[in-house]
Every structure is written in C-alpha cells, then in structure tokens.
C-alpha cells in the first residue's frame, strides 16, 4: 500500500492495470487499496482511466515530503555522503537506502557523472518498465570492440557503476559498465527471459561472476590493515593466526581483484590455497617483465 501511495502521489497518472503490473498484484487489490485511501481521507482523483492522489488530500504534504526529495536536497545529501571515506561501508549503505526512498532515476543525476546520467536514467526506466534496450556503441574491454548490444537490464551495482543484463544472444547474464555505453535506446519490447535473470555473485574485492573459488591467504600486519581499509567486507573472513599473522579464507569470483591486491603486497602475503590465483600471478609477472 505504501508503494501504491508513492506511485499515486508521484505526479504521474496511472491506470489500474499499470498499477497492478508495477506492484505485481491483481487489479482487484488496487481498487481495494484505493478505497482504503479514500476512507482514510485522501482525495483519489480519477481522470478517464487514470488515477492520482490530489494535493489537497489530508496528510498529502507530509507523505510527499517523506517519500520525495527536491533536486537540491538530493544534491546536498549526496555531498554529505561524499564526505565519508570511501572505505567506510556506511557510505554504501546510505547511498543504497537513499536510492530506495528517493526517485530511482533522479538520484542517478547526482551519483554518476553528468555525461553518464542520461544513460543510467534510461536504464532505470527500462528496469522499472521491464523493457529490452539496445546499448549503443558499447566499448567492450573483453572483446576489444565497439558494438550495439541488445539486452534485458534488471539490476544496478552500487553507485550505478555497472548494470546487470541478460544477453539473449548467448543466454548469459553479464555486467556492463555504464561509463562504456555510448547511449541507451529503450525498446517497446518487453523482457522475454525474466526467469533467467540472475545477478550472480560479488566477492569482497567487488568482482562479480556466476562462479566462485576458495582462496586462502596468510597476511602480515600491513597486508591485513590495507585489506580491511580498502575492502571493509573482508573483515568477517579474517581470523588471527598469531601476533603478526592473519588468515583470509574467502570465495572469489575473479582472479583480477584478489590478484591485483596480492601482487601489490607480495612480500607480506602467502598463498595457502588458490591454484588459479597462482597461475594468474605468474601470467601477470610475465606481462610485467615485457614492459
């Protein structure tokens, strides 16, 4: 009912069927909730087949202030959040909670770079409306090519850095970096593979994938401190071995994140378990030797 109230007081008009689709409930429930709002003193206006809550409704001002921020307010809140150290998990939690309260698309304008906000807003609209999109001129670091990609976007990562999409061309779920997208074309075509949407796993090094592998490291004091400062979620996977050493036992989705960390602190880290990590580091060392 709160979600319905937010939709009806958002300034847009919706049909009962549209509201039922958005809230994934029956049209009968929507009618019942609207009647409940009217009994509580709200003025629910019907214009043709469209509904909205009128501003003259009892408590409307309090509700609208609760569920909406002005652009200036959102900007100031984000400036305050930006002042928190990037290694603090509270910063991510605040951003996430702000996004759930404030307009899903408008918050992108003050979180992402200005030149990228329009793409994020278009993707957010497609996610809300469950529409397919074409990522125009997507620059893939994996293939080294720039091409259009037809996908079904369904979830953003923290701070809109990437978007999880289902790729119908090969039947897999992938992350696409929003800053690598030239533009976004939202199609009229609805999702066709919602049951196959899966955002996969994300490890403590902020790398994502559909599979993970156990990695066990022995850390010195310097490596332990830097790990917790740079990747706060790692702390719960660390146990102290003795006065000067700690054991990190965690699952990683990609060798890239953990590999870069270990490579930078190789003199203070010992790999206890992780054959894939050892192979990655050997290749990395070979690449560095050619520079």
């Amino acid at each position: 009912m709160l979600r319905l109230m937010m939709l009806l007081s958002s300034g847009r008009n919706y049909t009962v069927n549209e509201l039922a689709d958005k809230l994934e409930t029956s049209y009968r429930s929507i009618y019942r909730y609207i009647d409940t709002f009217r009994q509580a003193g709200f003025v629910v206006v019907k214009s043709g087949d469209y509904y909205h809550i009128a501003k003259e409704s009892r408590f409307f001002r309090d509700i609208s202030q609760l569920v909406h921020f002005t652009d200036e307010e959102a900007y100031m809140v984000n400036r305050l959040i930006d002042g928190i150290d990037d290694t603090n998990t509270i910063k991510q939690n605040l951003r996430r909670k702000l996004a759930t309260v404030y307009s899903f698309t408008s918050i992108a304008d003050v979180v992402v770079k200005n030149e990228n906000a329009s793409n994020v807003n278009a993707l957010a609209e497609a996610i809300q409306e469950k529409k397919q999109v074409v990522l125009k001129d997507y620059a893939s670091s994996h293939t080294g090519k720039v091409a259009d990609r037809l996908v079904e976007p369904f979830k953003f990562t923290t701070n809109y850095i990437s978007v999880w999409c289902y790729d119908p061309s090969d039947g897999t779920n992938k992350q696409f970096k929003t800053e690598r997208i030239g533009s976004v074309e939202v199609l009229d075509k609805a999702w066709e593979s919602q049951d196959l949407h899966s955002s996969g796993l994300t490890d403590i090094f902020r790398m994502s994938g559909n599979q993970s592998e156990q990695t066990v490291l022995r850390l010195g004091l310097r490596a332990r401190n830097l790990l917790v400062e740079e990747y706060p979620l790692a702390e719960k996977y660390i146990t102290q071995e003795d006065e000067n050493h700690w054991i990190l036992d965690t699952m990683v989705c990609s060798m890239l994140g953990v590999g870069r960390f270990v490579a930078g602190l190789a003199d203070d880290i010992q790999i206890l378990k992780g054959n894939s990590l050892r192979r990655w580091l050997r290749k990395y060392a070979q690449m560095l030797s050619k520079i």
Side-chain angles (χ1 to χ4, degrees), residues 90-270:
I90 293 177
K91 182 172 185 174
Q92 293 185 5
N93 292 337
L94 287 172
R95 278 258 173 85
R96 195 175 299 115
K97 289 180 179 179
L98 180 61
T100 63
V101 175
Y102 185 55
S103 168
F104 186 45
T105 56
S106 297
I107 193 66
D109 291 326
V110 287
V111 174
V112 303
K113 299 176 182 177
N114 289 335
E115 63 270 20
N116 201 27
S118 60
N119 288 341
V120 172
N121 285 333
L123 288 166
E125 176 188 346
I127 292 172
Q128 289 179 319
E129 302 294 335
K130 298 183 178 182
K131 300 289 188 181
Q132 293 185 350
V133 304
V134 176
L135 307 180
K136 296 283 191 178
D137 299 324
Y138 182 76
S140 172
S141 59
H142 179 69
T143 64
K145 299 179 180 179
V146 176
D148 294 349
R149 307 291 290 271
L150 172 66
V151 297
E152 297 180 359
F154 57 88
K155 182 181 179 181
F156 286 107
T157 62
T158 302
N159 292 350
Y160 304 93
I161 293 173
S162 300
V163 59
W164 277 101
C165 300
Y166 177 78
D167 188 342
S169 66
D170 58 13
T172 61
N173 294 289
K174 304 172 182 176
Q175 275 192 26
F176 293 87
K177 295 284 188 181
T178 54
E179 65 179 11
R180 296 177 185 167
I181 302 171
S183 61
V184 176
E185 179 186 357
V186 181
L187 305 179
D188 290 333
K189 194 173 183 180
W191 291 345
E192 295 181 342
S193 307
Q194 184 172 353
D195 293 343
L196 299 177
H197 293 180
S198 174
S199 57
L201 307 169
T202 302
D203 63 27
I204 61 171
F205 297 95
R206 306 188 186 105
M207 304 301 293
S208 300
N210 295 316
Q211 296 180 333
S212 61
E213 180 178 330
Q214 185 183 20
T215 298
V216 182
L217 307 175
R218 177 181 284 117
L219 311 173
L221 177 61
R222 182 163 59 99
R224 183 265 177 197
N225 289 345
L226 289 174
L227 177 65
V228 173
E229 290 169 6
E230 188 171 355
Y231 304 104
L233 295 179
E235 189 166 14
K236 64 180 180 180
Y237 299 101
I238 296 175
T239 56
Q240 188 164 2
E241 184 182 48
D242 56 40
E243 186 177 351
N244 299 308
H245 296 92
W246 287 259
I247 302 298
L248 171 69
D249 188 343
T250 188
M251 304 297 290
V252 296
C253 300
S254 167
M255 295 303 120
L256 185 59
V258 63
R260 287 175 173 171
F261 180 79
V262 173
L265 294 160
D267 60 335
D268 204 36
I269 297 176
Q270 179 184 358

Side-chain angles (χ1 to χ4, degrees), residues 4-16:
L4 176 61
M5 185 178 294
M6 292 172 67
L7 289 172
L8 291 175
S9 61
S10 67
R12 290 184 56 186
N13 293 329
Y14 294 93
T15 67
V16 168

Side-chain angles (χ1 to χ4, degrees), residues 7-14 19 34 38 42-47 50-57 60:
L7 289 172
L8 291 175
S9 61
S10 67
R12 290 184 56 186
N13 293 329
Y14 294 93
L19 293 168
I34 287 175
R38 284 172 170 154
F42 289 92
V43 179
V44 182
V45 177
K46 182 181 180 183
S47 178
Y50 294 88
Y51 289 80
H52 71 272
I53 292 178
K55 292 184 178 181
E56 61 266 29
S57 298
F60 180 88

Side-chain angles (χ1 to χ4, degrees), residues 22-42:
K22 283 182 173 294
L23 301 181
E24 297 180 351
T25 187
S26 68
Y27 70 90
R28 292 186 179 87
S29 295
I30 299 299
Y31 281 124
R32 186 168 65 252
Y33 296 153
I34 287 175
D35 286 339
T36 301
F37 294 161
R38 284 172 170 154
Q39 292 171 16
F42 289 92

Side-chain angles (χ1 to χ4, degrees), residues 275-289:
N275 290 331
S276 295
L277 176 58
R278 291 189 180 96
R279 289 192 293 269
W280 188 93
L281 288 168
R282 291 190 192 103
K283 291 181 180 179
Y284 186 68
Q286 291 173 359
M287 179 192 69
L288 291 178
S289 67

